[in-house]
């Protein structure tokens, strides 16, 4: 099966996040037919190629978001137009999955890089942060480094933003609007408005690859009736953090800057960064011929703890989660060649110390 045929089969298999059983069966079946000893946990599929003291995770995700409006083709059909494949997930991230699977096939046939056990894990629910790579990690065992397959135009991404969501609650004193002039009432919406202005003025240190982090107010709700001074107003703050920003400390600092009560709503998507001197980064730069970049989007890298990682793969991140998502044949074939160079290059870097 050539790369275009495998990508076609994967894209033509619907796999909206949480419903990956069919595509997991498809991926497992191919890997088993190539001689891999395949393991399953839910809709997660993994197997190892090679052996050695170093264990390298090679990961991408099988799931997609739900199709949005505006498609010119059926989203769950794989439609080739000249040398471009249109279909949901073609870019994010079934091109990466295809290239990784065929890299595994080549290693099974030709032999894996010496000194490295390549742990291929094609996982579920990346788009929803559910029962995918995070819960699987303890089963996979110790890992020395990881490749996370996402569309980056084959640019090695060594820094990724995290996501910190804060719930802010402004408290006031309620009463009839007609009595507001007495000064005994406290409008929570006005207090929230002051804090929203304060949020827009917050500044954090810039990251060399990702730039600044800017807090954004994304939802506001308050007030019970048009003739009642509100005693409560809530708003959410979304802050896409950069490596070096501690979520707990940032939340504390924001709380000190606002009148409103500030509580952490979600902090599990942590920012990530890998040092440029790491063997995997050096190998990725050589394999791609491109400098390292930062990524504003989150991925399963967020759940890898302290494992050094590079996020890289064929396709363009700007096509993700949009109508008429696509991947070209040239991008797919370049991705396959890149992953093969990267795995062998990493083994060479490790052997040189």
């Amino acid at each position: 099966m050539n790369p275009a045929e495998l990508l076609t089969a994967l894209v033509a298999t619907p796999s909206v996040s949480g419903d990956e059983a069919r595509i997991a069966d498809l991926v497992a079946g191919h890997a088993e037919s190539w001689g891999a000893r395949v393991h399953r946990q839910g809709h997660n599929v993994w197997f190892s190629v090679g052996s050695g003291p170093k264990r390298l995770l090679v990961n991408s995700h099988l799931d997609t978001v739900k199709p949005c409006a505006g498609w010119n083709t059926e989203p769950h059909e794989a439609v080739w137009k000249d040398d471009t494949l249109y279909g949901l997930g073609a870019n994010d991230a079934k091109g990466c999955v295809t290239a990784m699977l065929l890299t595994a096939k080549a290693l099974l046939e030709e032999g894996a890089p010496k000194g490295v056990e390549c742990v291929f894990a094609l996982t579920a629910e990346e788009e929803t942060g559910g029962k995918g790579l995070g819960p699987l990690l303890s089963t996979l065992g110790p890992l020395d480094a990881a490749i996370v397959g996402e569309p980056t135009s084959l640019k090695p991404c060594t820094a990724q933003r995290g996501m910190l969501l804060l719930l802010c609650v402004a408290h006031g004193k309620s009463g009839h609007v007609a009595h507001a002039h007495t000064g005994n009432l406290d409008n929570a919406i006005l207090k929230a408005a002051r804090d929203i202005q304060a949020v827009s003025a917050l500044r954090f240190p810039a990251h060399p690859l990702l730039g600044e982090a800017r807090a954004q107010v994304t939802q506001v709700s308050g007030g019970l009736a048009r003739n009642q001074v509100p005693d409560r107003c809530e708003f959410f703050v979304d802050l896409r953090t950069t490596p070096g920003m501690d979520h707990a400390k940032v939340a504390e600092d924001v709380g000190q800057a606002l009148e409103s009560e500030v509580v952490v709503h979600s902090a599990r998507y942590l920012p990530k960064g890998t040092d440029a001197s790491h063997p995997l980064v050096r190998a990725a730069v050589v394999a791609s011929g491109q400098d390292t970049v930062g990524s504003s989007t989150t991925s399963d890298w967020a759940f890898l703890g302290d494992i050094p990682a590079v996020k890289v793969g064929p396709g363009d991140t700007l096509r993700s989660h949009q109508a008429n998502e696509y991947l070209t044949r040239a991008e797919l074939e370049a991705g396959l060649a890149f992953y093969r160079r990267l795995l062998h290059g990493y083994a060479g870097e490790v052997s040189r110390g």
Side-chain angles (χ1 to χ4, degrees), residues 64-87:
T64 71
V65 294
K66 294 179 180 179
C68 61
W71 280 81
N72 296 330
T73 60
E74 169 55 44
H76 291 302
E77 290 182 5
V79 179
W80 283 95
K81 295 182 178 180
D82 298 323
D83 282 331
T84 300
L85 179 66
Y86 293 87

Side-chain angles (χ1 to χ4, degrees), residues 4-61:
E5 291 171 339
L6 181 54
L7 179 61
T8 301
L10 293 177
V11 173
T13 304
S15 57
V16 171
S17 197
D19 188 21
E20 302 96 339
R22 285 180 56 202
I23 197 168
D25 289 343
L26 179 63
V27 166
H30 281 301
E32 286 173 346
S33 73
W34 302 331
R37 183 184 176 188
V38 175
H39 307 273
R40 286 282 294 269
Q41 180 174 301
H43 301 327
N44 302 300
V45 177
W46 79 97
F47 56 91
S48 290
V49 181
S51 62
K54 295 294 183 180
R55 302 186 78 237
L56 175 66
L57 175 67
V58 185
N59 164 255
S60 191
H61 62 95

Side-chain angles (χ1 to χ4, degrees), residues 227-303:
N227 61 351
Q228 182 182 28
V229 174
D231 63 359
R232 183 183 178 93
C233 182
E234 297 182 354
F235 60 95
F236 279 95
V237 173
D238 185 322
L239 178 57
R240 299 305 168 109
T241 53
T242 60
M245 294 178 68
D246 178 82
H247 281 185
K249 181 63 166 58
V250 171
E252 180 183 350
D253 290 345
V254 173
Q256 292 178 351
L258 305 184
E259 297 179 70
S260 300
E261 174 190 3
V262 176
V263 296
V264 174
H265 182 75
S266 177
R268 68 193 187 108
Y269 283 94
L270 299 176
K272 294 294 178 180
T274 303
D275 192 273
S277 64
H278 191 275
L280 182 61
V281 176
R282 297 200 303 265
V285 169
V286 172
S288 67
Q290 303 186 75
D291 292 333
T292 59
V293 298
S295 173
S296 294
T297 60
T298 59
S299 71
D300 275 339
W301 186 2
F303 305 122

Side-chain angles (χ1 to χ4, degrees), residues 7-340:
L7 179 61
T8 301
L10 293 177
V11 173
T13 304
S15 57
V16 171
S17 197
D19 188 21
E20 302 96 339
R22 285 180 56 202
I23 197 168
D25 289 343
L26 179 63
V27 166
H30 281 301
E32 286 173 346
S33 73
W34 302 331
R37 183 184 176 188
V38 175
H39 307 273
R40 286 282 294 269
Q41 180 174 301
H43 301 327
N44 302 300
V45 177
W46 79 97
F47 56 91
S48 290
V49 181
S51 62
K54 295 294 183 180
R55 302 186 78 237
L56 175 66
L57 175 67
V58 185
N59 164 255
S60 191
H61 62 95
L62 300 171
D63 62 319
T64 71
V65 294
K66 294 179 180 179
C68 61
W71 280 81
N72 296 330
T73 60
E74 169 55 44
H76 291 302
E77 290 182 5
V79 179
W80 283 95
K81 295 182 178 180
D82 298 323
D83 282 331
T84 300
L85 179 66
Y86 293 87
L88 184 63
N91 180 75
D92 183 18
K94 294 182 180 181
C96 297
V97 172
T98 300
M100 287 180 170
L101 274 172
L102 292 179
T103 297
K105 180 176 184 290
L107 297 184
L108 286 163
E109 294 171 348
E110 303 166 4
K114 291 183 179 179
V116 177
E117 178 184 352
C118 299
V119 183
F120 289 85
L122 294 316
T123 50
E125 298 188 35
E126 187 271 347
E127 299 290 2
T128 54
K131 300 175 182 178
L133 180 60
L136 185 65
L137 279 177
S138 60
T139 303
L140 295 179
L143 298 165
D144 295 290
I147 300 167
V148 179
E150 292 283 351
T152 69
S153 301
L154 295 184
K155 297 176 182 178
C157 168
T158 58
Q160 173 180 283
R161 288 188 185 272
M163 181 175 69
L164 175 63
L165 295 180
L166 302 175
L167 172 61
C168 305
V169 183
H171 298 282
K173 183 178 180 181
S174 185
H176 199 293
V177 168
H179 304 312
H181 66 285
T182 65
N184 294 323
L185 306 180
D186 187 8
N187 191 317
I189 289 179
L190 293 180
K191 185 180 293 184
R194 291 193 296 269
D195 279 346
I196 289 170
Q197 284 295 109
V199 166
S200 69
L202 292 173
R203 293 294 181 269
F204 304 92
H207 185 273
L209 293 179
L210 294 167
E212 285 189 276
R214 292 285 184 89
Q216 298 293 318
V217 176
T218 55
Q219 289 182 308
V220 182
S221 61
L224 298 175
R226 289 187 296 276
N227 61 351
Q228 182 182 28
V229 174
D231 63 359
R232 183 183 178 93
C233 182
E234 297 182 354
F235 60 95
F236 279 95
V237 173
D238 185 322
L239 178 57
R240 299 305 168 109
T241 53
T242 60
M245 294 178 68
D246 178 82
H247 281 185
K249 181 63 166 58
V250 171
E252 180 183 350
D253 290 345
V254 173
Q256 292 178 351
L258 305 184
E259 297 179 70
S260 300
E261 174 190 3
V262 176
V263 296
V264 174
H265 182 75
S266 177
R268 68 193 187 108
Y269 283 94
L270 299 176
K272 294 294 178 180
T274 303
D275 192 273
S277 64
H278 191 275
L280 182 61
V281 176
R282 297 200 303 265
V285 169
V286 172
S288 67
Q290 303 186 75
D291 292 333
T292 59
V293 298
S295 173
S296 294
T297 60
T298 59
S299 71
D300 275 339
W301 186 2
F303 305 122
L304 286 177
D306 295 329
I307 299 169
V310 172
K311 179 165 74 173
V312 61
D316 188 332
T317 185
L318 296 179
R319 299 176 202 153
S320 301
H321 301 190
Q322 291 190 356
N324 305 314
E325 182 181 351
Y326 69 89
L327 191 75
T328 69
R329 189 187 304 270
E331 288 173 323
L332 177 61
E333 293 175 350
L336 172 57
F338 166 78
Y339 284 137
R340 293 181 68 175

